[in-house]
């Protein structure tokens, strides 16, 4: 299986996503088209990445260029503030993002809309209520949060109508395992998405990872993506390089053994 279904929504989320953080505007359309051609069907954007419109353009071009239609792609974005995109209200801000990604058609939608970061108590409440409205309207098929701690997730009960959130997207890789948050999300069936699954490329020459990679004749990056998948997380690796974009999807022909997983687990002291 290469997708997970999101509790109670009937939405299916591809297990591997493509992250476009720091993918510059001018190259973003081509990079997303390359990712779609390589097999990704899940793209993770955000208001602050300033490339929502380019992601949207890539998906609309994918229809003619690749025969991939909007409904075949899972698109995520995130709200950081209501003023970033010149909006007056939180709802206007999220609705603006939907138009950027999904186009101006009345039935435009995103597959997942996240509150990007906890910010202030007022922001959390206002942003979540805007997302609940978008969800009720069907303009966000699922909604969730990002960078939320257990405390932030518990606090949501004070203001949320829809709880638990469908997703919590956090930084997750062997050197950042967030065990308490992960356990809590598993208990509450909140899907964990892993951003920076490659630790932003910082530790790709780590000897423990290299050893496992050599054993499986795969690259360190592929080992880290596989680690994330086997943890039950949804990894969102980012790359602007065609070969690495392809390489990062080629992770289904091997499996990490339990001792490999244990060795990776032990990297966070
Ligand atoms: P590039 O975009 O030049 O490929 P993360 O997803 O954890 O944020 O990591 C992204 C970083 O890792 C980027 O610097 C990216 O560089 C690099 N990267 C992505 N895929 C690979 C790969 N397969 N091998 C080595 N580095 C990679």
């Amino acid at each position: 299986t290469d997708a997970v279904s999101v509790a109670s929504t009937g939405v299916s989320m591809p297990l591997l996503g493509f992250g476009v953080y720091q993918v510059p505007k001018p190259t973003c359309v081509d990079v997303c088209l390359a990712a779609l051609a390589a097999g990704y069907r899940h793209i993770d954007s955000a208001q602050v990445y300033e490339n929502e419109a380019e992601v949207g353009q890539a998906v609309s071009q994918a229809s003619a260029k690749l025969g991939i239609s909007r409904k075949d792609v899972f698109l995520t974005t995130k709200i950081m503030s209501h003023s970033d995109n010149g909006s007056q209200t939180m709802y206007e801000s999220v609705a603006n993002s939907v138009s950027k990604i999904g186009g101006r058609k009345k039935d435009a939608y995103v597959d997942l809309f996240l509150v990007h970061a906890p910010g202030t108590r007022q922001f959390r409440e206002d942003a979540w209520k805007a997302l609940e409205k978008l969800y009720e309207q069907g303009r966000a098929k699922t909604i969730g949060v990002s960078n939320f701690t257990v405390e932030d997730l518990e606090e949501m009960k004070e203001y949320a109508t829809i709880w638990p959130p469908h997703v919590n997207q956090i930084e997750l890789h062997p050197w950042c395992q967030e065990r308490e948050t992960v356990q809590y999300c598993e208990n509450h069936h909140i899907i964990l998405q892993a951003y920076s699954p490659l630790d932003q490329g910082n530790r790709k020459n780590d000897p423990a990872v290299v050893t496992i990679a050599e054993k499986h004749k795969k690259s360190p990056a592929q080992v880290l993506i596989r680690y994330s998948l086997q943890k039950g997380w949804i990894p969102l690796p980012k790359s602007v390089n065609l070969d690495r974009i392809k390489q990062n999807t080629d992770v289904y022909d091997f499996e990490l053994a339990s001792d490999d997983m244990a060795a990776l687990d032990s990297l966070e002291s």
Side-chain angles (χ1 to χ4, degrees), residues 196-201 204 219 221 236-241 244 247-248:
S196 301
L198 310 176
D199 186 35
Q200 297 192 27
K204 54 180 175 273
S219 75
L236 307 168
K238 171 258 172 185
S239 178
V240 293
N241 171 280
R244 291 190 287 273
Q247 184 199 118
N248 294 348

Side-chain angles (χ1 to χ4, degrees), residues 162-177:
I162 296 166
W163 196 93
H166 301 124
V167 168
N168 188 18
Q169 182 183 123
I170 57 179
E171 180 174 354
L172 285 172
H173 49 71
W175 301 275
C176 177
Q177 294 176 44

Side-chain angles (χ1 to χ4, degrees), residues 20-26 28 45-55 77 84-85 100:
V20 294
Y21 174 54
Q22 289 179 338
V23 174
K25 243 182 210 302
C28 191
S45 185
Q47 291 180 345
V48 292
Y49 303 171
E50 295 188 350
N51 53 24
E52 290 171 302
E54 287 71 19
V55 170
T77 193
D84 277 6
N85 61 12
K100 281 188 181 169

Side-chain angles (χ1 to χ4, degrees), residues 244-261:
R244 291 190 287 273
I245 288 172
K246 284 185 192 147
Q247 184 199 118
N248 294 348
T249 64
D250 180 19
V251 291
Y252 296 102
D253 62 348
F254 77 114
E255 193 171 353
L256 298 174
S258 55
D259 62 327
D260 299 328
M261 291 298 285

